[in-house]
């Protein structure tokens, strides 16, 4: 059992011991009820304290158990909380560090709650596409008031304990301890002070009233606010319905209503997606062949080569984390421009109130610049963000090899070039790694960590740790053209081009995939990022892979100089200074003419086919990326496509989405696309991994 029981004089102590965050898994639930039975059966015990060992009181229900038989093992969390309320002896929750989800619901079942300052208090279930399903929607409003409770439940955001404890009329906490260190002793003293109280006098949250003075009007207002958040997934609105039930129903009826709504959400595809991503994000930081206790290299100062858009954005990530950065450029005006852009970005944040002036100044104090490679010789990590051309990278890495101190990590921000070739420019390939940031580098969460065949394991461990420190979602990729994300988007873009040749318009393709949930379709995205970027990559690839079949419309567009918003015209027309994408008669005519050149009679293409061809192209290429060992887990691929390419979060990523559709159905659709003479039959052969999983009746994951 992962809960310990001991008796201190007349006080029994139940301690949850389920690291890392005392998830309320079946063994913990059994341990708690076992301790309660012992305490209530022991005449020497007059009161009970329940607390959590380690870094949390409890992080809630054990997410790792969801969907397994363990989650159904008795006693379930509701039963544990009923057992707490039924105790004939007073129970005091001694709460510290983190009390979230089911952990807070468990504390609400206790008679009293003593909390340490600085404790994060939350009901974050909505972030998993759920709602608090163990009484949180019924009890929290009773102790904090309807509005505060609803805000916490619908946002899922943590609130510090001292803030809640100081709210007028709050009944969540009976005592705010002086410190985390004194919490336990103060909770024991509190338990002694209520020891021996008759059971009938023990306070139960369920018995508190729960009303809102203008209930109908308030909930209507709240519903209007929440409806927008619920556009793509139902949890926020159902949270509101559950809290409303607390104000209109008796407690036990409210609990039934909460359970009804919770069950609906637990079974929803959106919650399955969000729970998958919660685990996938944490799993991504684990590299199968790199033990978690691999020693890391100390990163005290970072060198960045290149003060352009990427170099500046990369630098900001480290400055934001309090790590000194030295930027190298070849010309002073480039340095001045780059530093000026960083300053402008920070000043904009200060103006919006997102960054305090003193923080801004502190960050800028960590920034230095140089025109001389030798000034980087003490840097622990050096990241180059220079022009994407192998010859330029060669010159940079030969210089780095000359000046960098032994053990310095040499990283390339290349987005498509071969990291092994780059490493070979040095005599220390084991210290070379790819750190592929996404533009804008100080905003986008994704960081592809590209491991060369000789990249040392401690280099990987260090870069993954520093990635977490600068708040990136780091995913390890092997070396191939495009790594994970760009290799997949190439197939996505090819399908977009074929769809135009066959009869669709850019606006139809964009609308269909945006309705599926992407923030931007491929053509609006091209106009935003610059169509010339893909053009340059296609030119390079047409040399290396002349056999690669793709639509020429994108090339024709670029030959007209229509690079997108930056040239005032792309797939769409734009009014001067505006970003609204206006369907272009010229482009649509160009596409029609191109079809005629190809002898294609345009056909009506359904939105469903558009979505399947775009999304399944990602899935098939993702499966091949797994087969090639470029990515180690399908969840990694989902994280890449979510955090770097705008895949809709409530669908869980391309690989999770394919599993929800059913790989059999996905493979059958691929076989249909393979018969399309305008398409690429070879590409649409379902990847052998997909065929294997279908044959075994399995999914990704
Ligand atoms: N269950 C199981 N494991 C959990 C967990 C949980 N609730 N929370 C975290 N972990 C694991 C996580 O997978 C990782 O494991 C390790 O702890 C460190 O996590 C009925 C239904 C608590 C604030 O949504 O917000 O209760 O990868 O890297 O940055 O109403 O984890 O090392 O093996 O995030 O210090 C509601 C989710 C559940 C809280 C700690 N609770 N967790 O942050 O560490 S549903 C949540 C967090 C529920 C009831 C409902 C954070 C944290 P590993 P970490 P951290």
């Amino acid at each position: 059992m992962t809960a310990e029981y001991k008796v201190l004089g007349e006080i029994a102590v139940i301690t949850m011991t389920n690291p890392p965050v005392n998830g309320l898994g079946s063994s913990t639930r059994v341990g708690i009820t076992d301790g309660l039975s012992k305490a209530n059966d022991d005449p020497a015990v007059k009161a009970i304290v329940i607390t959590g060992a380690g870094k949390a009181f409890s992080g809630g229900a054990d997410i790792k158990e969801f969907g397994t038989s363990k989650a159904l093992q008795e006693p379930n969390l509701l039963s544990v909380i009923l057992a707490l309320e039924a105790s004939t002896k007073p129970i005091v929750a001694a709460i510290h560090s983190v009390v979230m989800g089911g952990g807070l619901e468990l504390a609400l079942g206790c008679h009293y709650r003593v909390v340490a300052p600085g404790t994060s208090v939350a009901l974050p279930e909505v972030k998993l596409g759920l709602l608090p399903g163990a009484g949180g929607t019924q009890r929290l409003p009773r102790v904090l008031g309807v509005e505060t409770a609803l805000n916490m439940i619908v946002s899922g955001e943590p609130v510090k304990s001292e803030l809640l404890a100081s709210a007028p009329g709050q009944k969540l906490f009976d005592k705010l301890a002086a410190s985390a260190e004194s919490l336990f002793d103060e909770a024991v003293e509190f338990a002694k002070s209520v020891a021996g109280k008759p059971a009938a006098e023990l306070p139960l949250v369920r018995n508190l009233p729960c009303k809102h003075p203008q209930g109908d009007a308030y909930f209507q207002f709240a519903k209007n606010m929440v409806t927008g958040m619920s556009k793509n997934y139902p949890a926020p609105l159902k949270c509101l319905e559950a809290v409303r039930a607390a104000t209109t129903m008796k407690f036990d009826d409210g609990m039934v209503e909460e359970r009804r709504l919770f069950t609906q959400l637990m079974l929803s595809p959106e919650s399955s997606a969000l729970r998958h991503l919660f685990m996938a994000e944490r799993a991504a930081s684990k590299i199968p062949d790199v033990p978690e206790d691999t020693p890391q290299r100390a990163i005290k100062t970072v060198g960045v080569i290149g003060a352009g858009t990427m170099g500046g954005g990369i630098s900001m990530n480290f400055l934001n984390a309090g790590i000194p950065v030295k930027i190298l450029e070849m010309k002073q005006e480039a340095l001045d421009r780059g530093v000026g852009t960083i300053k402008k970005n920070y000043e904009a944040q200060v103006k919006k109130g997102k960054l305090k002036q003193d923080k801004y100044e502190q960050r800028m104090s960590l920034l230095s610049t140089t025109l001389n490679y030798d000034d980087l010789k003490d840097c622990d990590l050096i990241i180059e963000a220079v022009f994407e051309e192998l010859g330029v990278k060669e010159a940079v890495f030969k210089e780095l090899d000359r000046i960098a101190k032994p053990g310095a990590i040499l990283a390339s921000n290349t987005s498509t070039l071969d990291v092994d070739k780059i490493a070979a420019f040095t005599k220390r390939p084991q210290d070379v790694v790819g750190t592929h940031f996404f533009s804008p580098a100080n905003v986008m969460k994704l960081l592809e960590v590209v491991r060369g065949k000789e990249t040392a394991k401690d280099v990987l461990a260090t870069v993954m740790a520093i990635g977490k420190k600068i708040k990136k979602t780091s995913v390890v990729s092997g070396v191939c053209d495009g790594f994970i994300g760009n290799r997949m988007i190439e197939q996505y873009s090819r399908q977009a081009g074929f769809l135009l040749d066959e009869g669709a318009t850019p606006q139809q393709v964009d609308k269909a995939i945006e309705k599926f949930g992407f923030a931007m379709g491929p053509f609006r995205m091209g106009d935003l990022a610059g169509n010339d970027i893909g053009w340059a990559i296609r030119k390079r690839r047409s040399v290396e892979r002349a056999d690669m079949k793709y639509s020429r419309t994108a090339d024709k567009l670029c030959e007209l100089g229509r690079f997108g918003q930056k040239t005032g015209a792309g797939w769409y027309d734009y009014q001067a200074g505006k970003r609204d994408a206006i369907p272009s008669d010229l482009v649509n005519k160009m596409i029609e003419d191109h079809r005629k050149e190809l002898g294609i009679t345009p056909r009506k293409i359904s939105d469903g086919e558009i979505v399947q061809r775009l999304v399944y192209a990602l899935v098939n290429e993702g499966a091949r990326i797994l087969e090639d060992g470029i990515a180690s887990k399908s969840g990694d691929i989902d994280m890449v496509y979510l955090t770097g390419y705008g895949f809709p979060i409530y669908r869980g990523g391309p690989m999770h989405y394919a599993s929800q559709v059913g790989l059999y159905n996905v493979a059958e659709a691929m076989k249909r696309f393979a018969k399309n003479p305008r398409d690429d039959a070879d590409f649409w052969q379902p990847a052998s991994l997909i065929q294997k999983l279908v044959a075994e009746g399995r999914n990704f994951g």
Side-chain angles (χ1 to χ4, degrees):
M1 288 182 294
T2 46
E4 288 166 2
Y5 177 82
K6 66 182 177 185
V7 178
L8 302 174
E10 60 180 14
I11 307 298
V13 180
I14 298 169
T15 305
M16 293 178 277
T17 55
N18 184 20
V21 297
N22 294 320
L24 296 168
S26 57
S27 67
T28 306
R29 301 195 299 269
V30 169
I32 294 168
T33 48
D34 183 63
L36 281 176
S37 304
K38 285 177 183 158
N40 276 301
D41 295 347
D42 181 345
V45 170
K46 303 293 183 218
I48 302 160
V49 169
I50 184 166
T51 191
K55 69 176 202 176
F57 172 79
S58 170
D62 191 331
I63 299 172
K64 293 184 174 105
E65 277 192 358
F66 284 166
T68 71
S69 57
K70 280 191 168 184
L72 305 173
Q73 271 171 10
E74 293 299 338
N76 65 44
L77 187 51
L78 283 169
S79 315
V80 173
I81 295 168
L82 287 175
L84 291 166
E85 289 187 318
S87 169
T88 55
K89 300 173 182 175
I91 302 176
V92 178
I95 302 167
H96 64 89
S97 313
V98 168
V99 56
M100 288 192 174
L104 179 55
E105 292 171 303
L106 181 131
L108 286 166
C110 298
H111 303 109
Y112 304 97
R113 288 158 295 281
V114 177
V115 69
T119 299
S120 281
V121 184
L123 288 177
E125 289 85 341
V126 70
K127 294 182 178 180
L128 298 173
L130 298 170
L131 57 76
T137 65
Q138 307 302 304
R139 289 190 177 90
L140 196 66
R142 282 173 161 80
V143 294
L144 284 182
V146 171
E147 296 192 18
T148 302
L150 184 63
N151 283 340
M152 286 184 69
I153 292 167
V154 165
S155 71
E157 290 302 316
V159 182
K160 285 299 177 201
S161 51
E162 56 272 23
L163 192 61
L164 294 171
S166 62
Q170 69 83 24
K171 296 181 175 60
L172 175 56
F173 298 123
D174 301 277
K175 181 180 174 59
L176 179 64
S179 69
E181 292 69 30
S182 64
L183 166 76
F184 181 73
D185 293 343
E186 292 190 58
V188 169
E189 286 313 306
F190 190 97
K192 287 176 183 171
S193 72
V194 294
K197 245 185 184 212
E201 291 176 22
L202 294 177
L204 293 178
V205 170
R206 61 165 51 227
N207 294 336
L208 294 172
C210 185
K211 281 284 171 250
H212 187 286
Q214 293 87 31
D216 290 348
Y218 170 71
F219 278 103
Q220 186 52 54
F221 162 75
K223 186 173 181 178
N224 295 341
M225 298 287 285
V226 166
T227 302
M229 298 164 74
S230 261
K231 191 163 66 76
N232 291 314
Y233 48 113
L237 216 44
K238 291 196 186 299
C239 286
L240 182 140
E241 288 172 39
V243 172
R244 176 165 196 159
T247 66
T248 57
M249 297 180 180
K250 291 198 184 79
F251 181 84
D252 288 334
D253 296 340
M255 287 297 288
V256 170
E257 177 64 358
E258 176 190 90
R259 181 54 41 177
R260 182 182 72 82
L261 294 166
F262 175 81
T263 306
Q264 287 174 4
L265 291 173
M266 182 58 97
L267 298 173
S268 70
E270 294 85 358
S271 180
S272 166
L274 291 169
R275 298 195 312 263
H276 159 72
L277 291 173
F278 176 87
M279 301 314 282
E281 182 175 15
R282 286 153 181 83
S285 61
K286 294 174 180 57
I287 308 167
D289 63 335
V290 178
E292 284 192 70
D293 59 359
T294 301
Q296 296 167 20
R297 300 186 188 182
I299 303 295
K300 294 191 179 61
T301 55
V302 172
V304 174
I305 302 178
T309 309
M310 288 308 286
I314 291 169
S315 301
M316 289 178 71
N317 289 310
F318 293 96
L319 297 173
N320 296 348
I323 300 172
V325 173
K326 188 182 288 284
I327 301 182
L328 167 72
E329 257 292 0
M330 297 297 107
K331 294 196 182 87
Q332 189 59 44
E333 61 266 30
L335 272 181
D336 297 344
R337 195 169 46 248
V339 172
T341 303
I342 291 173
K343 277 186 173 169
K344 203 167 62 180
N345 283 339
Y346 280 139
E347 283 159 2
Q349 290 177 32
V350 170
K351 201 168 169 193
K352 287 178 198 158
K354 290 184 175 177
L355 179 66
K356 291 202 180 335
Q357 181 66 26
D358 62 333
K359 270 274 182 203
Y360 158 46
E361 288 162 6
Q362 187 254 338
R363 287 177 185 177
M364 290 308 292
S365 71
L366 297 172
L367 177 60
S368 59
T369 61
T370 180
L371 296 168
N372 184 337
Y373 267 99
D374 287 310
D375 290 344
L376 301 183
K377 64 183 186 310
D378 297 327
C379 290
D380 307 297
L381 165 65
I382 303 171
I383 303 174
E384 63 78 15
V386 299
F387 186 65
E388 187 76 351
E389 200 280 313
L390 205 54
V392 176
K393 306 288 187 190
E394 179 175 5
V396 166
F397 275 82
K398 283 185 170 165
E399 273 299 276
L400 291 180
D401 200 26
R402 179 180 68 81
I403 58 98
K405 67 180 183 183
I409 294 175
L410 310 181
S412 169
N413 178 53
T414 181
S415 56
T416 56
L417 298 175
D418 185 327
V419 171
D420 289 327
K421 286 184 182 165
I422 292 172
F425 297 141
T426 74
K427 293 188 274 307
R428 51 175 114 178
Q430 72 282 358
D431 296 338
V432 177
V433 67
T435 50
H436 178 210
F437 289 85
F438 286 71
S439 184
N442 56 307
V443 173
M444 294 294 282
K445 270 185 74 73
L446 178 59
L447 173 62
E448 279 184 326
V449 177
V450 186
R451 71 183 293 180
K453 58 180 180 296
E454 298 190 55
T455 301
K457 291 186 177 182
D458 68 328
V459 168
L460 283 170
T462 305
V463 173
M464 294 300 278
I466 203 83
K468 185 165 184 174
K469 190 172 171 64
I470 62 174
K471 297 190 174 29
K472 295 297 179 185
T473 298
S474 306
V475 178
V476 173
S477 170
V479 175
C480 71
D481 189 351
F483 311 137
I484 297 173
N486 283 345
R487 176 170 158 180
M488 290 168 69
I489 201 170
E490 180 193 8
Q491 297 304 340
Y492 175 87
S493 305
R494 285 179 74 216
Q495 287 304 313
F498 291 146
L499 286 161
L500 296 185
D501 290 352
E502 295 169 40
T505 62
Q507 51 272 27
Q508 184 195 358
V509 172
D510 282 349
K511 276 199 178 64
I513 199 70
E514 287 164 13
K515 191 170 160 218
F516 173 79
F518 276 75
M520 263 193 185
F523 300 109
R524 287 209 307 143
M525 178 55 82
D527 278 0
L528 177 70
N531 298 308
D532 50 327
I533 295 170
W535 194 26
I537 291 172
R538 286 194 302 276
K539 282 180 189 169
R540 175 170 64 78
R541 284 194 179 131
S542 64
V543 173
E544 292 159 6
R545 287 184 307 183
D547 63 328
M548 173 67 89
K549 181 179 174 186
Y550 66 90
S551 164
R552 290 296 184 274
T553 39
D555 296 345
K556 286 174 168 288
L557 187 84
C558 290
E559 284 153 18
L560 296 173
R562 293 178 70 103
F563 295 159
Q565 291 183 18
K566 63 183 172 184
T567 57
W571 291 104
Y572 295 91
D573 294 335
Y574 297 88
Q575 290 172 336
K578 295 230 173 125
R579 291 174 166 258
D580 303 323
I582 303 163
S584 165
D585 294 339
L586 180 147
V587 168
N588 287 335
K589 174 85 171 51
M590 177 193 84
I591 293 167
E592 284 161 19
D593 292 347
H594 185 54
R595 289 180 194 136
K596 287 180 187 135
E597 287 165 23
L598 295 171
I600 295 175
T601 307
R603 67 182 174 92
K604 186 161 175 39
I605 302 174
S606 71
D607 286 1
E609 180 182 343
I610 290 172
V611 170
Q612 284 191 347
R613 283 176 61 180
L614 292 176
V615 175
Y616 294 175
L618 298 174
V619 176
N620 215 19
E621 195 59 28
R624 293 191 173 115
I625 284 170
L626 287 168
E627 288 167 9
D628 297 349
I630 296 298
S632 60
K633 310 182 272 297
S634 62
D636 285 2
I637 293 174
D638 287 334
M639 289 315 300
V640 165
Y641 232 77
L642 246 141
T643 55
Y645 296 80
F647 198 90
I649 190 169
Y650 56 89
R651 296 197 187 268
M655 312 309 271
H656 178 81
Y657 175 70
S659 295
Q660 286 197 320
V661 168
L663 287 186
Y664 170 81
N665 299 317
V666 172
E668 289 305 300
M670 290 178 180
K671 291 172 191 168
R672 286 196 302 277
F673 299 150
K675 294 182 184 124
N676 173 354
R678 301 306 319 165
D679 209 324
D680 180 341
D682 292 341
F683 171 73
W684 280 121
Q685 293 309 313
S688 47
L689 172 61
I690 291 177
Q691 293 180 44
K692 178 174 178 291
L693 291 171
V694 169
E696 296 166 359
R698 288 168 53 217
N699 275 323
F700 292 121

